[in-house]
Amino acid sequence: WFFGGGERPSVKAAAENAEIHAKIAKQLVRGALKYGGVAIKALQCMAMRNDLPRAYAEEFAVSLVDVPRVSSESYVRRVLGDLDPNGENDIKAKLQPFKSASVAQVHQGTASGRDVVVKVLHEGVRTNFKEDLEIMAKMGAKVNKHKDARGAAVFLKGIQQAL
């Protein structure tokens, strides 16, 4: 009934399904946090859907808050240095980010005396994006094997193609 139509399950079956959904959702979150990038983006998209079983919405919500991923200080120094190599714009930014998300982290800074926010892509994001998209499609294929989650592969494949 969830993705494929049919009759709504009984209360007992729904409780059993809720347990299965919770296990699957936890595995997806663990995998996404491990791989980062697009996998977290997929969770963010899915967390905002109102047609998923509660377990997915609850578990995927973690992807909507600060993601514990921070690029190395040497990488951030190099990126920030590239922003204003000649010092013409007087751009300065703190090395420690105040927020971090799936593909980038955000630093407070100044440019020509004005407060700015500098968004720095995480190390390797550009080179790993294709790989992340492939992982996301594989995650969908694994989830799709569960009767009550049919359609997840199509949803995740759609995100892969869109990005």
Side-chain angles (χ1 to χ4, degrees), residues 3-140:
F3 283 110
E7 290 185 36
R8 188 176 180 100
S10 68
V11 173
K12 181 181 176 190
E16 290 170 357
N17 289 344
E19 251 181 73
I20 292 168
H21 287 308
K23 287 178 184 177
I24 293 169
K26 286 178 193 299
Q27 288 176 333
L28 287 170
V29 169
R30 264 195 309 274
L33 291 176
K34 178 181 176 185
Y35 293 114
V38 176
I40 294 174
K41 276 289 180 215
L43 289 185
Q44 290 170 340
C45 290
M46 292 171 62
M48 294 184 282
R49 293 177 57 114
N50 62 6
D51 61 340
L52 295 176
R54 184 176 300 168
Y56 294 101
E58 289 172 359
E59 290 295 327
F60 294 172
V62 72
S63 68
L64 297 172
V65 296
D66 203 28
V67 176
R69 182 176 181 193
V70 179
S71 293
S72 71
E73 190 173 302
S74 61
Y75 171 78
V76 173
R77 274 186 204 281
R78 186 168 38 93
V79 170
L80 294 176
D82 289 347
L83 287 176
D84 193 18
N86 300 324
E88 296 169 359
N89 297 311
D90 191 30
I91 297 174
K92 293 177 178 60
K94 294 181 179 180
L95 286 176
Q96 291 301 314
F98 69 89
K99 284 287 184 185
S100 183
S102 57
V103 296
Q105 57 195 45
V106 184
H107 300 259
Q108 294 173 318
T110 59
S112 302
R114 295 178 51 200
D115 288 339
V116 296
V117 173
V118 180
K119 191 171 187 177
V120 176
L121 287 178
H122 288 303
E123 278 176 280
V125 165
R126 288 177 197 251
T127 56
N128 293 333
F129 224 70
K130 182 178 178 194
E131 198 174 293
D132 287 349
L133 288 167
E134 289 169 5
I135 289 167
M136 184 177 68
K138 288 177 185 176
M139 284 174 31

